[in-house]
Amino acid sequence: MSGPRPTTGIPAPSRAPARVQHDHGFARAFLDGMRRSPKRVPCKYFYDSVGSALFDEICDLPEYYQTRTELSLLSAHADEIAAILGTDIELIEFGAGSLTKVRVLLDALERPQAYIPIDISGDYLAKVCAALDADYPALRLDPVVADFTRPFVLPAPIHDTARRVGFFPGSTIGNFSPDEAVAFLKTASGIVRGGGLLIGVDLVKDADILNAAYNDTRGVTAAFNKNLLARANRELGANFDLDAFAHEAFYNAADSRIEMYLVSLLNQDVQIAGETIAFSRGEAVHTEDSCKYTLESFAALAWKAGLVPRQAWCDPQQLFSMHWLEAD
Ligand code: AVJ
């Protein structure tokens, strides 16, 4: 692994290996969350390679309208979006995942110069980058393994005037609270000053549609949620019995968010990294919030972060939205 690239000098070769910028601290964060009352685990820890693969399965579920709706929005408006994003851009993706969506953008963009996918899941990122690299040999691909909710180092621009655009699809921004989202948008706008951010945002809608999307009949979302416990068993030598916990997800309309929990089905002690953690029957571990916005509430959030919401697209059923926010 090479170190962070200097900000001046000869551009590094393309297809550099992904660099791991920090230890994501699963052990410490997980134990810390288990000692709290109420218990909680930050949702970014879903995404080890098992969790990333489970998330890809979620994206294909009939109940999970988000991924296919966003993809069809991107395809339907690809030319318009490409024109707005501009030519010769450097595209930075936050939480890049499977790299499926960016292909639609890359195919529509005129002479994209560089693509910098940032993801917390290093092995997974390396794998999907190899496939993308084979399909886009002319593109400078510069993956960064990092937790984008913390400070990280980006490769230097190819040249000083490079226009940088941030891509943040999948409504990942919904995992932040609104205040955290504003803080993130402020940081991201600093990175793409003179360019902007293209962001996918899930919309407030009928509770039944939302509840179904997070309680699929095949139990993939439950497996994704429980992978946190499985991961603790794998990495921390914990002895969670996955059948002794239930997946729970519901729409909290008052706060416009899906809340996800793992609920202990009995009074039980679990050993985690040499420590005994007690769970009472019915006790819930909070594992995720997924905030939903209206077109208006998200535009207001962008203004708050000092960005200029210029354009928004959404499907006829108003399930999902894409926003172009300028960073002046
Ligand atoms: C990746 C945060 C957008 O909240 O819909 C899917 C994660 N959790 N099913 C979402 C998730 C349960 C997903 N995001």
Side-chain angles (χ1 to χ4, degrees), residues 18 47 52 55-56 59 67 70-71 74 91-103 106 115-122 124-129 132 141-149 152 166-173 184:
Y47 303 96
S52 295
F55 181 67
D56 286 347
C59 292
T67 312
E70 186 176 43
L71 262 173
L74 273 173
L91 193 62
I92 301 162
E93 182 168 355
F94 302 95
S98 66
L99 313 187
T100 308
K101 293 163 191 164
V102 76
R103 289 168 180 260
L106 290 172
Y115 173 51
I116 303 164
I118 307 168
D119 205 278
I120 194 167
S121 189
Y124 189 77
L125 184 63
K127 195 179 92 184
V128 293
C129 276
L132 189 92
L141 176 62
D142 215 338
V144 173
V145 180
D147 172 358
F148 64 77
T149 67
F152 56 88
F167 184 41
F168 197 29
S171 205
T172 308
I173 195 161
F184 170 78

Side-chain angles (χ1 to χ4, degrees), residues 137-279:
L139 183 74
R140 174 168 144 165
L141 176 62
D142 215 338
V144 173
V145 180
D147 172 358
F148 64 77
T149 67
R150 294 168 50 195
F152 56 88
V153 180
L154 280 180
I158 295 175
H159 53 88
D160 293 345
T161 57
R163 175 176 161 90
R164 290 192 144 182
V165 167
F167 184 41
F168 197 29
S171 205
T172 308
I173 195 161
N175 282 153
F176 292 123
S177 70
D179 284 346
E180 290 167 344
V182 169
F184 170 78
L185 289 175
K186 281 184 181 161
T187 305
S189 64
I191 297 173
V192 299
R193 189 82 48 221
L197 299 168
L198 182 68
I199 306 192
V201 181
D202 195 20
L203 295 173
V204 167
K205 63 180 63 64
D206 188 277
D208 291 342
I209 299 176
L210 284 164
N211 285 322
Y214 292 84
N215 291 280
D216 65 277
T217 56
R218 281 164 46 193
V220 183
T221 309
F224 173 74
N225 198 5
K226 288 188 182 188
N227 178 52
L228 271 176
L229 308 180
R231 181 176 181 184
N233 287 350
R234 285 191 295 270
E235 293 183 29
L236 313 180
N239 64 346
F240 281 104
D241 173 2
L242 270 54
D243 295 328
F245 288 83
H247 163 73
E248 188 175 302
F250 58 85
Y251 185 56
N252 169 348
D255 295 317
S256 306
R257 65 178 184 231
I258 288 281
E259 298 180 10
M260 221 158 79
Y261 299 89
L262 289 162
V263 180
S264 177
L265 294 173
L266 45 141
N267 294 325
Q268 53 182 324
D269 283 345
V270 178
Q271 308 299 319
I272 308 165
E275 194 166 321
T276 304
I277 301 287
F279 294 80

Side-chain angles (χ1 to χ4, degrees), residues 5-22:
R5 182 151 310 134
T7 50
T8 54
I10 300 157
S14 65
R15 298 181 279 291
R19 286 155 296 173
V20 182
Q21 298 203 350
H22 27 66

